[in-house]
């Protein structure tokens, strides 16, 4: 005995016939994003030694830059040389974003690679859920994990640089805006894995180049003009510059007037988000030509 | 019955290799269609395309009247899918329940209905006691059961299962078959591939045989069996079964078909059990061939192998 047809309508209002009411419903991208981030955090908690290792790595970096600050002087373009406490603040401002940048760039890529191998991506891409939400969820969980490193670093930076309350708030706002662009870049990196499968080495190179170019460790103003041009295409450059501007005040000369740097980060965030959304659809179509389960 | 899935002239290439060369099939509501064929025939590729896990090069697929190309999201809401070798396709460091909850959220299930569906499926598929252990610690069969539960979590009206009982123990396989039969009776359209004849015989209302990227044969199992002209097979084992001996057997009035085998084995489908055996024995004696005989019922596997052979011969011609 076959159940009578149930006339239903999809979200566009078009009717179709199914034997019973559908349980599968459209899910907003933010719901996929938060569910994926929660899932990743739960998994990360179960790999505790790895999590601790990551914070130990961050601690080592901070110690290294503290040592550097005692023996090195940096001359950031036209501004006065930075040394000692100010140089440590310069490095800390870079580290603040490095805490987020590296894992956020690699996390979606690693997740996509692992899901290709296990067949999970094939399943997920056969469901109606938001692909962007899924990949961005990997970034969100990394950002949450990064906060554990970010907050003490930010505290040390405040203690070292002694910015005003407004400057500290603007530093946080610059970081937050940059994270939107960072999410889009993370999704773009994941697309490399979806299209070309094994891309760990390419991602590693890109990550290091991005960090170097954007001025995580050296001021962009010290680079040759051609390299500075490339640096301007990265949202991090403006993030580092603004954070250093608010941390060091008059001691730091920004590449552009601050309001223009804010506009640059916002423009990058919009541009990269639009680009990643567009390319994600194309990458899925292309990847589905060869299949999404790498056995 | 209403067509739930219609695939027309589906084509797919992987580089220079043509995997599907115009495969067509249909699946109705309240029906189970078993897609059979040799390894590499294109079954898995066809299922992946129907489930929107793989893009086709040409052809058309509709699911409950929705075109897969024009309305992929609408089709995805209607379908459940278990791919081949997908028993690892969940998160090993989450429990089974956490995995199912996560995938259920991605499908838009509400918390209450999600927990109810998890409990129902875990009970039906026999892994209720393992819901709160890490997915990675399950046995292969238990993982497969959980993956099947994931495909059924949103109670889809159309389900594609590629070798669903692979790795399941006989009890778990029987449970799955019983559950699926119930849903099919309620109107589920089920398409499965399997090399396990028990699954096919227990579930399939119709069989589609994929051969060299096409579906040259499809029909009810009974019809495929009936096309062989008998219900019993006399198996013959002998050294030196010559072409002449095969020809003689094929010409016997009591034998409707000679199922191809190797040089030391063949099967004769006989029209009447007793008269058929006598005729086969007498014919081989007349050829001076000493043989061992065994009589058994004709199976769906015989029918599929025969139809595959016939399809191959037509292709060659």
């Amino acid at each position: 005995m076959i159940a009578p047809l149930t006339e239903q309508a999809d979200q566009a209002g078009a009717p179709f016939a199914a034997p019973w009411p559908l349980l599968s419903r459209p899910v907003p991208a933010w719901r996929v994003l938060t569910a994926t981030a929660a899932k990743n955090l739960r998994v990360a908690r179960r790999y505790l030694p790895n999590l601790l290792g990551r914070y130990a790595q961050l601690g080592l970096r901070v110690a290294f830059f503290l040592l550097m600050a005692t023996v090195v002087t940096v001359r950031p373009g036209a501004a006065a040389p930075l040394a000692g406490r100010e140089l440590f603040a310069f490095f800390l401002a870079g580290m603040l974003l490095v805490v987020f940048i590296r894992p956020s760039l690699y996390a979606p890529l690693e997740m996509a690679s692992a899901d290709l191998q296990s067949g999970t991506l094939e399943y997920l891409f056969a469901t109606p859920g938001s692909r962007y939400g899924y990949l961005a969820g990997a970034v969100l969980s990394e950002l949450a994990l990064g906060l554990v490193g970010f907050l003490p670093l930010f505290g040390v930076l405040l203690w070292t640089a002694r910015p005003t309350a407004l400057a500290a708030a603007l530093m946080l706002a610059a970081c937050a805006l940059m994270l939107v662009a960072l999410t889009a870049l993370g999704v773009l990196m994941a697309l490399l894995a979806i299209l070309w499968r094994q891309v760990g080495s390419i991602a590693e190179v890109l990550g290091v180049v991005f960090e170097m170019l954007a001025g995580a460790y050296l001021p962009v103003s010290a680079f040759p003009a051609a390299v500075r041009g490339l640096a301007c295409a990265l949202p991090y450059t403006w993030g580092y510059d603004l954070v250093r501007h608010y941390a060091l005040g008059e001691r730091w000369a920004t590449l552009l007037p601050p309001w223009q740097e804010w506009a640059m980060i916002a423009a990058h965030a919009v541009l990269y988000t639009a680009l990643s959304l567009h390319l994600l659809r194309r990458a899925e179509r292309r990847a589905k030509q060869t299949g999404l389960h790498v056995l | 019955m209403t067509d739930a899935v219609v695939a027309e002239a589906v084509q797919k290439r992987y580089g220079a290799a043509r995997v599907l060369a115009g495969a067509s099939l249909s699946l109705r509501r309240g029906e189970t269609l078993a897609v059979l064929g040799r390894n590499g025939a294109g079954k898995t590729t066809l299922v992946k395309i129907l489930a929107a896990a793989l893009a086709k090069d040409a052809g058309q697929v509709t699911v409950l009247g929705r075109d897969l190309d024009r309305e992929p999201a609408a089709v995805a809401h209607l379908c459940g899918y278990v791919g081949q070798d997908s028993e690892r396709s969940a998160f090993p460091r989450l429990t089974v329940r956490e995995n199912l909850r996560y995938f259920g959220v991605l499908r838009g299930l509400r918390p209450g209905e999600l927990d109810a569906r998890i409990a129902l499926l875990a009970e039906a598929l026999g892994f209720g006691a393992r819901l709160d252990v890490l997915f990675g610690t399950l046995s292969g069969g238990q993982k497969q059961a959980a993956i099947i539960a994931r495909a059924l979590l949103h109670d889809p009206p159309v389900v594609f299962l590629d070798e669903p009982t692979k790795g399941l123990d006989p009890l778990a396989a029987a449970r799955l078959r019983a559950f699926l039969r119930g849903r099919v009776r309620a109107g589920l359209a089920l398409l499965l591939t399997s090399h396990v004849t028990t699954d096919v015989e227990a579930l399939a209302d119709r069989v589609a045989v994929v051969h060299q990227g096409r579906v040259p044969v499809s029909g009810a199992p009974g019809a495929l069996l009936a096309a062989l002209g008998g219900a019993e097979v006399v198996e013959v084992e002998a050294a030196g079964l010559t072409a002449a001996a095969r020809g003689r057997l094929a010409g016997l009035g009591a034998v409707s078909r000679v199922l191809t085998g190797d040089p030391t084995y063949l099967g004769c489908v006989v029209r009447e059990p007793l008269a058929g055996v006598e005729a086969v024995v007498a014919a081989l004696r007349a050829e001076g061939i000493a043989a061992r005989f065994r009589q058994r019922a004709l199976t769906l596997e015989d029918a599929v192998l025969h139809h595959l052979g016939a399809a191959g011969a037509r292709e060659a011609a």
Side-chain angles (χ1 to χ4, degrees):
Chain A
M1 177 76 186
I2 295 165
L5 289 176
T6 306
E7 280 297 326
Q8 299 184 63
D10 66 6
Q11 62 270 40
F16 62 90
W20 47 75
L22 291 185
L23 295 182
S24 184
R25 307 176 186 95
V27 181
W30 68 263
R31 186 75 189 94
V32 177
L33 184 138
T34 52
T36 304
K39 180 262 292 178
N40 288 351
L41 288 173
R42 189 170 283 132
V43 171
R45 208 180 58 207
R46 289 174 185 164
Y47 287 110
L48 203 56
N50 188 50
L51 200 55
L52 295 176
R54 159 192 184 139
Y55 296 130
Q57 195 184 47
L58 180 64
L60 277 176
R61 277 182 178 226
V62 173
F64 171 75
F65 287 120
L66 180 60
L67 189 66
M68 285 269 284
T70 61
V71 295
V72 171
T73 300
V74 167
R75 297 175 194 283
L82 296 175
R85 194 183 182 103
E86 284 167 348
L87 183 57
F88 186 49
F90 164 85
F91 284 133
L92 277 176
M95 288 300 298
L96 268 188
L97 294 174
V98 169
V99 165
F100 293 125
I101 289 171
R102 300 203 83 175
S104 305
L105 276 181
Y106 302 139
L109 183 140
E110 283 169 3
M111 187 174 80
S113 288
D115 290 351
L116 271 169
Q117 301 290 332
S118 66
T120 312
L121 203 67
E122 181 186 72
Y123 174 79
L124 288 167
F125 278 26
T127 68
S130 161
R131 281 70 165 138
Y132 194 89
Y134 181 68
L135 295 172
V139 182
L140 185 63
S141 54
E142 287 301 321
L143 298 182
L145 292 171
L147 269 181
V148 177
F150 175 89
L151 292 174
L153 273 184
F154 189 64
V156 175
L157 178 62
L158 293 183
W159 179 78
T160 309
R162 313 280 164 90
T164 62
L166 177 64
L170 287 170
M171 258 192 270
L172 285 176
C175 289
L177 185 55
M178 221 196 68
L179 295 183
V180 180
L182 190 62
T183 303
L185 277 171
V187 172
L188 284 172
M189 293 286 266
L191 297 188
L192 299 180
I194 291 169
L195 288 174
W196 300 317
R197 296 2 186 181
Q198 294 289 336
V199 289
S201 57
I202 297 173
E204 187 72 28
V205 168
L206 285 177
V208 171
V209 168
F210 285 178
E211 257 177 45
M212 295 294 180
L213 271 183
Y217 309 114
L218 290 170
V220 173
S221 56
F223 294 161
V227 180
R228 273 206 305 274
L230 284 175
C232 291
L234 293 171
Y236 318 136
T237 306
W238 312 108
Y240 286 130
D241 215 37
L242 277 178
V243 171
R244 284 172 179 148
H245 165 68
Y246 293 118
L248 297 168
E250 296 303 312
R251 305 279 293 153
W252 182 257
T254 52
L255 295 166
L256 295 175
W259 72 268
Q260 285 183 19
E261 298 205 341
W262 279 101
M264 288 299 277
I265 303 182
H268 276 110
V270 172
L271 176 74
Y272 283 116
T273 303
L275 188 68
S276 58
L277 279 166
H278 172 69
L279 291 181
L280 180 55
R281 279 191 288 272
R282 292 188 60 159
E284 179 178 345
R285 274 202 297 273
R286 202 173 139 190
K288 279 187 172 176
Q289 294 294 330
T290 50
L292 281 158
H293 188 182
V294 183
L295 289 172
Chain B
M1 284 193 278
T2 314
D3 277 336
V5 180
V6 179
E8 286 172 350
V10 175
Q11 294 181 34
K12 180 70 187 173
R13 275 179 181 277
Y14 290 117
R18 190 173 67 168
V19 182
L20 293 178
S24 299
L25 57 76
S26 66
L27 168 64
R28 289 169 284 222
R29 291 174 60 248
E31 182 189 54
T32 301
L33 175 71
V35 176
L36 307 177
R38 293 192 178 120
N39 294 327
K43 304 182 297 294
T44 291
T45 298
L46 182 57
V47 171
K48 279 178 192 272
I49 287 171
L50 297 178
L54 187 69
K56 56 188 164 48
D57 297 336
Q60 192 180 19
V61 174
T62 55
V63 177
L64 288 169
R66 294 305 176 100
D67 187 280
L68 183 59
D69 294 330
R70 286 201 296 268
E71 302 169 280
V75 170
H77 281 295
L78 298 168
C79 299
Y81 166 60
V82 174
Q84 196 180 38
D85 298 317
S86 60
E87 71 278 1
R88 291 188 304 121
S89 65
F91 305 104
R93 299 291 287 182
L94 293 184
T95 67
V96 179
R97 192 189 302 278
E98 287 166 346
N99 264 292
L100 292 175
R101 275 187 180 151
Y102 172 70
F103 288 114
V105 166
L106 298 195
R107 281 282 186 185
L109 272 74
R110 298 184 184 105
E113 64 190 8
L114 182 50
D115 285 342
R117 289 292 297 166
I118 291 171
L120 182 144
L121 289 165
E123 180 62 30
L125 303 183
F127 61 89
R130 308 286 285 162
L131 268 175
D132 294 309
V133 302
L134 294 180
F135 181 81
T137 64
L138 296 181
S139 71
Q142 288 167 337
K143 283 179 184 161
Q144 178 72 353
I147 292 299
I148 292 169
R150 179 180 68 183
L152 301 171
L153 209 49
H154 56 291
D155 204 9
V158 177
V159 171
F160 304 106
L161 304 177
D162 197 353
E163 298 193 31
T165 56
K166 192 175 164 187
L168 294 185
D169 65 49
L171 181 61
R175 276 184 156 142
L176 174 64
R177 286 193 292 267
F179 181 78
L180 291 174
R181 266 197 302 270
R183 296 312 294 154
V184 170
R185 275 199 297 275
L188 172 72
L190 172 63
L191 183 147
L192 61 90
T193 77
S194 183
H195 292 296
V196 182
T197 45
T198 319
D199 292 345
V200 179
E201 286 167 351
L203 290 171
D205 299 303
R206 280 193 307 129
V207 168
V209 180
V210 180
H211 183 70
Q212 295 186 344
R214 291 196 174 91
V215 185
V217 180
S218 68
L224 295 186
L225 288 167
L228 269 65
E232 297 276 325
V233 177
V234 177
E235 293 182 323
V236 179
E237 252 185 274
L241 279 169
T242 58
R246 286 169 191 271
R248 187 174 181 128
L249 290 173
L252 292 173
V255 173
S256 62
R257 290 275 191 287
V258 175
L259 304 174
T260 50
D262 59 39
T264 62
Y265 169 86
L266 57 78
C268 297
V269 182
V270 292
R271 297 183 202 282
E272 295 292 334
L274 282 176
V277 176
E278 284 170 4
V280 169
V281 171
L284 288 173
R285 278 205 186 123
E287 287 286 323
I289 295 172
R292 286 199 302 179
F293 301 93
R294 192 169 76 94
Q295 192 169 358
R296 63 169 173 81
L298 184 70
T299 64
L300 189 58
E301 190 172 286
D302 295 321
V304 169
L305 286 172
H306 170 74
H307 288 296
L308 277 174
R314 280 199 298 275
E315 286 280 335

